[in-house]
Amino acid sequence: MFAELTSRQENGVDLDVLVWRLVRPMLCASTAVFGGGLGPRDWVFNAQVPSDYHRVDIDQHVSEIVTHLNLSGPGVGMLTAARVGRCQQSSDENVDVEVTVGISHPTWAASDETFESAPISPGTINIVAFVPVRLDEAALINVVATATEAKSQALFDADIPATGTASDAITVLCLLEGDIERFGGPRSLWGSRVARGVHHAVLAGVKGWAA
């Protein structure tokens, strides 16, 4: 399942948005600031914001975008300074992944660096993945960790000295019904498919960003 690309205008500037309007609610695990956590979701979006983005009223801003897109019910709002029109898509045996990549400020997860910035800043590597089965909650969270590992592997393969950026976000969705899959690690059936999809899309996104 891939997103619809649309746009909105803020302060006289046209900004793109990737929108996933789900046919029926899906179980979601997300690290996004708005709508993150674990539970059923009806929609997801990944909205481009200016590179000098400094708003701290994230809930208000995302709610404005929700209204503009005419979305209803619980959902996930992701923000990024990357150009979402350059998103990278990947499919691996019925797992669909869509990624936006911007790595102007790469960083290591375990670092002595400190950052003085707004409490919330837009993610620069945003990942959305769809798994076409019912994962139990632990497996779904495990898939988020697996996707994170695959993202870092892609950066390593692209010779980027970082594990990501300081504000990346990942959203993984699966069915709310059906036989329950209990595993989501990198060597599990569905975890491995997500990992390959994320690795392929992030690697392509890094190359596109560098170009």
Side-chain angles (χ1 to χ4, degrees):
M1 179 177 181
F2 294 123
E4 161 199 354
L5 178 62
T6 184
S7 64
R8 72 193 193 282
Q9 193 170 84
E10 292 185 11
N11 299 320
V13 178
D14 289 325
L15 296 167
D16 288 336
V17 189
L18 294 171
V19 188
W20 293 262
R21 302 175 191 269
L22 307 182
V23 176
R24 60 181 183 275
M26 300 185 75
L27 181 61
C28 171
S30 176
T31 65
V33 172
F34 186 96
L38 186 65
R41 300 291 186 269
D42 293 316
W43 51 265
V44 179
F45 72 69
N46 186 10
Q48 183 178 337
V49 297
S51 58
D52 60 350
Y53 185 81
H54 60 273
R55 289 184 65 165
V56 295
D57 58 336
I58 301 299
D59 287 353
Q60 175 61 33
H61 187 202
V62 173
S63 295
E64 292 167 5
I65 301 173
V66 168
T67 299
H68 173 79
L69 296 174
N70 196 29
L71 300 172
S72 61
V76 175
M78 307 169 75
L79 304 177
T80 179
R83 295 179 64 178
V84 303
R86 294 182 176 178
C87 65
Q88 296 292 329
Q89 301 172 341
S90 180
S91 294
D92 192 291
E93 299 187 75
N94 297 318
V95 167
D96 292 331
V97 175
E98 204 151 3
V99 172
T100 55
V101 175
I103 47 173
S104 299
H105 304 288
T107 188
W108 296 104
S111 172
D112 293 331
E113 294 179 273
T114 59
F115 297 89
E116 294 183 4
S117 60
I120 301 169
S121 57
T124 49
I125 301 178
N126 282 350
I127 298 168
V128 179
F130 290 87
V131 182
V133 296
R134 172 67 161 91
L135 300 169
D136 76 9
E137 293 184 356
L140 184 56
I141 293 171
N142 201 350
V143 170
V144 172
T146 297
T148 303
E149 293 176 17
K151 174 196 69 176
S152 296
Q153 182 181 341
L155 294 175
F156 176 85
D157 290 343
D159 295 322
I160 303 297
T163 51
T165 80
S167 48
D168 297 342
I170 296 179
T171 297
V172 179
L173 302 104
C174 72
L175 300 183
L176 273 168
E177 55 192 24
D179 295 335
I180 295 177
E181 298 283 338
R182 297 185 57 201
F183 303 102
R187 294 285 64 83
S188 69
L189 177 65
W190 295 104
S192 64
R193 294 174 179 180
V194 170
R196 288 191 296 268
V198 168
H199 179 269
H200 180 273
V202 171
L203 188 59
V206 170
K207 292 177 179 178
W209 177 87

mmCIF file of all heavy atoms in Angstrom, residues 167-196:
data_model
loop_
_atom_site.group_PDB
_atom_site.id
_atom_site.type_symbol
_atom_site.label_atom_id
_atom_site.label_comp_id
_atom_site.label_asym_id
_atom_site.label_seq_id
_atom_site.Cartn_x
_atom_site.Cartn_y
_atom_site.Cartn_z
ATOM 1 N N SER A 167 16.115 12.824 14.822
ATOM 2 C CA SER A 167 14.658 12.929 14.900
ATOM 3 C C SER A 167 13.938 12.042 13.877
ATOM 4 O O SER A 167 12.879 12.387 13.382
ATOM 5 C CB SER A 167 14.242 14.392 14.721
ATOM 6 O OG SER A 167 14.889 14.964 13.596
ATOM 7 N N ASP A 168 14.520 10.894 13.556
ATOM 8 C CA ASP A 168 13.866 9.959 12.641
ATOM 9 C C ASP A 168 12.584 9.407 13.261
ATOM 10 O O ASP A 168 12.429 9.369 14.488
ATOM 11 C CB ASP A 168 14.793 8.779 12.322
ATOM 12 C CG ASP A 168 16.057 9.215 11.598
ATOM 13 O OD1 ASP A 168 16.069 10.328 11.053
ATOM 14 O OD2 ASP A 168 17.019 8.438 11.584
ATOM 15 N N ALA A 169 11.669 8.956 12.410
ATOM 16 C CA ALA A 169 10.419 8.354 12.892
ATOM 17 C C ALA A 169 10.083 7.120 12.063
ATOM 18 O O ALA A 169 10.349 7.082 10.851
ATOM 19 C CB ALA A 169 9.275 9.364 12.831
ATOM 20 N N ILE A 170 9.510 6.138 12.717
ATOM 21 C CA ILE A 170 9.123 4.887 12.054
ATOM 22 C C ILE A 170 7.683 4.558 12.428
ATOM 23 O O ILE A 170 7.292 4.634 13.602
ATOM 24 C CB ILE A 170 10.044 3.728 12.461
ATOM 25 C CG1 ILE A 170 11.480 3.996 11.983
ATOM 26 C CG2 ILE A 170 9.538 2.406 11.890
ATOM 27 C CD1 ILE A 170 12.466 2.906 12.359
ATOM 28 N N THR A 171 6.892 4.164 11.435
ATOM 29 C CA THR A 171 5.518 3.720 11.649
ATOM 30 C C THR A 171 5.333 2.387 10.937
ATOM 31 O O THR A 171 5.610 2.278 9.741
ATOM 32 C CB THR A 171 4.507 4.742 11.090
ATOM 33 O OG1 THR A 171 4.655 5.987 11.800
ATOM 34 C CG2 THR A 171 3.077 4.251 11.244
ATOM 35 N N VAL A 172 4.897 1.384 11.672
ATOM 36 C CA VAL A 172 4.631 0.056 11.104
ATOM 37 C C VAL A 172 3.174 -0.293 11.374
ATOM 38 O O VAL A 172 2.688 -0.133 12.507
ATOM 39 C CB VAL A 172 5.548 -1.022 11.707
ATOM 40 C CG1 VAL A 172 5.228 -2.394 11.105
ATOM 41 C CG2 VAL A 172 7.018 -0.681 11.473
ATOM 42 N N LEU A 173 2.469 -0.760 10.345
ATOM 43 C CA LEU A 173 1.059 -1.124 10.478
ATOM 44 C C LEU A 173 0.843 -2.558 10.034
ATOM 45 O O LEU A 173 1.486 -3.041 9.090
ATOM 46 C CB LEU A 173 0.173 -0.190 9.656
ATOM 47 C CG LEU A 173 0.285 1.294 10.009
ATOM 48 C CD1 LEU A 173 1.109 2.025 8.950
ATOM 49 C CD2 LEU A 173 -1.079 1.938 10.158
ATOM 50 N N CYS A 174 -0.078 -3.235 10.713
ATOM 51 C CA CYS A 174 -0.441 -4.603 10.345
ATOM 52 C C CYS A 174 -1.953 -4.767 10.483
ATOM 53 O O CYS A 174 -2.649 -3.866 10.965
ATOM 54 C CB CYS A 174 0.311 -5.615 11.210
ATOM 55 S SG CYS A 174 -0.251 -5.701 12.933
ATOM 56 N N LEU A 175 -2.457 -5.916 10.088
ATOM 57 C CA LEU A 175 -3.888 -6.172 10.175
ATOM 58 C C LEU A 175 -4.339 -6.264 11.626
ATOM 59 O O LEU A 175 -3.554 -6.582 12.529
ATOM 60 C CB LEU A 175 -4.238 -7.466 9.451
ATOM 61 C CG LEU A 175 -3.915 -7.531 7.945
ATOM 62 C CD1 LEU A 175 -4.408 -8.856 7.370
ATOM 63 C CD2 LEU A 175 -4.511 -6.361 7.193
ATOM 64 N N LEU A 176 -5.614 -6.012 11.837
ATOM 65 C CA LEU A 176 -6.205 -6.126 13.177
ATOM 66 C C LEU A 176 -6.830 -7.493 13.412
ATOM 67 O O LEU A 176 -7.310 -7.780 14.508
ATOM 68 C CB LEU A 176 -7.275 -5.045 13.372
ATOM 69 C CG LEU A 176 -6.781 -3.692 13.884
ATOM 70 C CD1 LEU A 176 -7.883 -2.642 13.755
ATOM 71 C CD2 LEU A 176 -6.301 -3.793 15.329
ATOM 72 N N GLU A 177 -6.843 -8.324 12.387
ATOM 73 C CA GLU A 177 -7.488 -9.638 12.511
ATOM 74 C C GLU A 177 -6.675 -10.682 11.763
ATOM 75 O O GLU A 177 -5.761 -10.350 11.010
ATOM 76 C CB GLU A 177 -8.902 -9.564 11.938
ATOM 77 C CG GLU A 177 -8.943 -9.054 10.524
ATOM 78 C CD GLU A 177 -10.333 -8.703 10.039
ATOM 79 O OE1 GLU A 177 -11.204 -8.421 10.873
ATOM 80 O OE2 GLU A 177 -10.535 -8.704 8.813
ATOM 81 N N GLY A 178 -7.026 -11.954 11.993
ATOM 82 C CA GLY A 178 -6.329 -13.046 11.323
ATOM 83 C C GLY A 178 -5.454 -13.817 12.286
ATOM 84 O O GLY A 178 -5.354 -13.499 13.479
ATOM 85 N N ASP A 179 -4.814 -14.851 11.779
ATOM 86 C CA ASP A 179 -3.901 -15.650 12.594
ATOM 87 C C ASP A 179 -2.733 -14.784 13.055
ATOM 88 O O ASP A 179 -2.141 -14.041 12.266
ATOM 89 C CB ASP A 179 -3.373 -16.837 11.790
ATOM 90 C CG ASP A 179 -4.487 -17.818 11.422
ATOM 91 O OD1 ASP A 179 -5.505 -17.843 12.140
ATOM 92 O OD2 ASP A 179 -4.329 -18.530 10.412
ATOM 93 N N ILE A 180 -2.404 -14.911 14.328
ATOM 94 C CA ILE A 180 -1.406 -14.026 14.926
ATOM 95 C C ILE A 180 0.007 -14.552 14.709
ATOM 96 O O ILE A 180 0.308 -15.711 14.993
ATOM 97 C CB ILE A 180 -1.678 -13.843 16.430
ATOM 98 C CG1 ILE A 180 -3.017 -13.119 16.623
ATOM 99 C CG2 ILE A 180 -0.551 -13.054 17.096
ATOM 100 C CD1 ILE A 180 -3.419 -12.947 18.074
ATOM 101 N N GLU A 181 0.866 -13.674 14.183
ATOM 102 C CA GLU A 181 2.293 -13.954 14.052
ATOM 103 C C GLU A 181 3.002 -13.402 15.288
ATOM 104 O O GLU A 181 2.775 -12.261 15.686
ATOM 105 C CB GLU A 181 2.849 -13.293 12.791
ATOM 106 C CG GLU A 181 2.232 -13.787 11.495
ATOM 107 C CD GLU A 181 2.768 -15.147 11.085
ATOM 108 O OE1 GLU A 181 3.871 -15.517 11.543
ATOM 109 O OE2 GLU A 181 2.082 -15.835 10.296
ATOM 110 N N ARG A 182 3.880 -14.199 15.870
ATOM 111 C CA ARG A 182 4.470 -13.831 17.153
ATOM 112 C C ARG A 182 5.888 -13.288 17.065
ATOM 113 O O ARG A 182 6.462 -12.888 18.084
ATOM 114 C CB ARG A 182 4.463 -15.040 18.091
ATOM 115 C CG ARG A 182 3.076 -15.552 18.441
ATOM 116 C CD ARG A 182 3.170 -16.665 19.460
ATOM 117 N NE ARG A 182 3.873 -16.248 20.660
ATOM 118 C CZ ARG A 182 4.454 -17.091 21.523
ATOM 119 N NH1 ARG A 182 4.403 -18.395 21.312
ATOM 120 N NH2 ARG A 182 5.078 -16.623 22.593
ATOM 121 N N PHE A 183 6.469 -13.263 15.872
ATOM 122 C CA PHE A 183 7.872 -12.877 15.762
ATOM 123 C C PHE A 183 8.062 -11.761 14.746
ATOM 124 O O PHE A 183 7.436 -11.742 13.690
ATOM 125 C CB PHE A 183 8.724 -14.088 15.368
ATOM 126 C CG PHE A 183 8.589 -15.237 16.328
ATOM 127 C CD1 PHE A 183 7.785 -16.328 16.010
ATOM 128 C CD2 PHE A 183 9.224 -15.206 17.558
ATOM 129 C CE1 PHE A 183 7.649 -17.376 16.893
ATOM 130 C CE2 PHE A 183 9.081 -16.249 18.454
ATOM 131 C CZ PHE A 183 8.290 -17.337 18.129
ATOM 132 N N GLY A 184 8.964 -10.832 15.066
ATOM 133 C CA GLY A 184 9.212 -9.704 14.175
ATOM 134 C C GLY A 184 10.676 -9.331 14.059
ATOM 135 O O GLY A 184 11.003 -8.259 13.558
ATOM 136 N N GLY A 185 11.565 -10.215 14.512
ATOM 137 C CA GLY A 185 12.997 -9.934 14.431
ATOM 138 C C GLY A 185 13.533 -10.062 13.011
ATOM 139 O O GLY A 185 12.822 -10.478 12.088
ATOM 140 N N PRO A 186 14.797 -9.742 12.798
ATOM 141 C CA PRO A 186 15.354 -9.725 11.449
ATOM 142 C C PRO A 186 15.414 -11.081 10.763
ATOM 143 O O PRO A 186 15.508 -11.139 9.537
ATOM 144 C CB PRO A 186 16.758 -9.132 11.640
ATOM 145 C CG PRO A 186 17.074 -9.334 13.081
ATOM 146 C CD PRO A 186 15.771 -9.263 13.799
ATOM 147 N N ARG A 187 15.340 -12.168 11.501
ATOM 148 C CA ARG A 187 15.349 -13.488 10.862
ATOM 149 C C ARG A 187 13.964 -14.137 10.882
ATOM 150 O O ARG A 187 13.806 -15.283 10.495
ATOM 151 C CB ARG A 187 16.367 -14.418 11.532
ATOM 152 C CG ARG A 187 17.820 -14.000 11.369
ATOM 153 C CD ARG A 187 18.385 -14.262 9.969
ATOM 154 N NE ARG A 187 17.754 -13.512 8.908
ATOM 155 C CZ ARG A 187 18.058 -12.253 8.581
ATOM 156 N NH1 ARG A 187 18.962 -11.601 9.284
ATOM 157 N NH2 ARG A 187 17.454 -11.644 7.593
ATOM 158 N N SER A 188 12.967 -13.420 11.342
ATOM 159 C CA SER A 188 11.596 -13.924 11.261
ATOM 160 C C SER A 188 11.065 -13.707 9.849
ATOM 161 O O SER A 188 11.627 -12.939 9.061
ATOM 162 C CB SER A 188 10.697 -13.200 12.267
ATOM 163 O OG SER A 188 10.517 -11.845 11.897
ATOM 164 N N LEU A 189 9.964 -14.366 9.522
ATOM 165 C CA LEU A 189 9.402 -14.280 8.176
ATOM 166 C C LEU A 189 9.081 -12.838 7.798
ATOM 167 O O LEU A 189 9.541 -12.321 6.772
ATOM 168 C CB LEU A 189 8.139 -15.146 8.086
ATOM 169 C CG LEU A 189 7.397 -15.109 6.748
ATOM 170 C CD1 LEU A 189 8.262 -15.697 5.639
ATOM 171 C CD2 LEU A 189 6.065 -15.862 6.854
ATOM 172 N N TRP A 190 8.284 -12.162 8.630
ATOM 173 C CA TRP A 190 7.830 -10.820 8.279
ATOM 174 C C TRP A 190 8.848 -9.754 8.643
ATOM 175 O O TRP A 190 8.982 -8.748 7.935
ATOM 176 C CB TRP A 190 6.473 -10.548 8.916
ATOM 177 C CG TRP A 190 5.443 -11.466 8.354
ATOM 178 C CD1 TRP A 190 4.901 -12.574 8.944
ATOM 179 C CD2 TRP A 190 4.870 -11.403 7.037
ATOM 180 N NE1 TRP A 190 4.031 -13.195 8.085
ATOM 181 C CE2 TRP A 190 3.985 -12.504 6.912
ATOM 182 C CE3 TRP A 190 5.017 -10.528 5.962
ATOM 183 C CZ2 TRP A 190 3.246 -12.741 5.748
ATOM 184 C CZ3 TRP A 190 4.286 -10.761 4.805
ATOM 185 C CH2 TRP A 190 3.417 -11.854 4.704
ATOM 186 N N GLY A 191 9.587 -9.963 9.722
ATOM 187 C CA GLY A 191 10.628 -9.006 10.075
ATOM 188 C C GLY A 191 11.701 -8.903 9.006
ATOM 189 O O GLY A 191 12.174 -7.817 8.671
ATOM 190 N N SER A 192 12.087 -10.047 8.445
ATOM 191 C CA SER A 192 13.117 -10.037 7.410
ATOM 192 C C SER A 192 12.632 -9.314 6.159
ATOM 193 O O SER A 192 13.401 -8.611 5.491
ATOM 194 C CB SER A 192 13.543 -11.470 7.066
ATOM 195 O OG SER A 192 12.457 -12.204 6.502
ATOM 196 N N ARG A 193 11.354 -9.458 5.836
ATOM 197 C CA ARG A 193 10.810 -8.766 4.665
ATOM 198 C C ARG A 193 10.772 -7.262 4.876
ATOM 199 O O ARG A 193 11.094 -6.486 3.968
ATOM 200 C CB ARG A 193 9.421 -9.318 4.342
ATOM 201 C CG ARG A 193 9.451 -10.777 3.901
ATOM 202 C CD ARG A 193 8.055 -11.361 3.713
ATOM 203 N NE ARG A 193 8.147 -12.747 3.279
ATOM 204 C CZ ARG A 193 7.091 -13.532 3.032
ATOM 205 N NH1 ARG A 193 5.860 -13.040 3.166
ATOM 206 N NH2 ARG A 193 7.272 -14.771 2.642
ATOM 207 N N VAL A 194 10.378 -6.845 6.071
ATOM 208 C CA VAL A 194 10.406 -5.412 6.385
ATOM 209 C C VAL A 194 11.835 -4.892 6.316
ATOM 210 O O VAL A 194 12.100 -3.825 5.754
ATOM 211 C CB VAL A 194 9.795 -5.145 7.772
ATOM 212 C CG1 VAL A 194 10.056 -3.697 8.198
ATOM 213 C CG2 VAL A 194 8.301 -5.432 7.770
ATOM 214 N N ALA A 195 12.773 -5.659 6.874
ATOM 215 C CA ALA A 195 14.171 -5.225 6.882
ATOM 216 C C ALA A 195 14.700 -5.031 5.466
ATOM 217 O O ALA A 195 15.354 -4.019 5.167
ATOM 218 C CB ALA A 195 15.026 -6.240 7.631
ATOM 219 N N ARG A 196 14.417 -5.968 4.587
ATOM 220 C CA ARG A 196 14.902 -5.834 3.212
ATOM 221 C C ARG A 196 14.256 -4.629 2.518
ATOM 222 O O ARG A 196 14.916 -3.893 1.788
ATOM 223 C CB ARG A 196 14.632 -7.120 2.426
ATOM 224 C CG ARG A 196 15.522 -8.291 2.830
ATOM 225 C CD ARG A 196 15.404 -9.438 1.851
ATOM 226 N NE ARG A 196 14.066 -10.026 1.816
ATOM 227 C CZ ARG A 196 13.679 -11.058 2.568
ATOM 228 N NH1 ARG A 196 14.527 -11.599 3.436
ATOM 229 N NH2 ARG A 196 12.461 -11.549 2.463
#
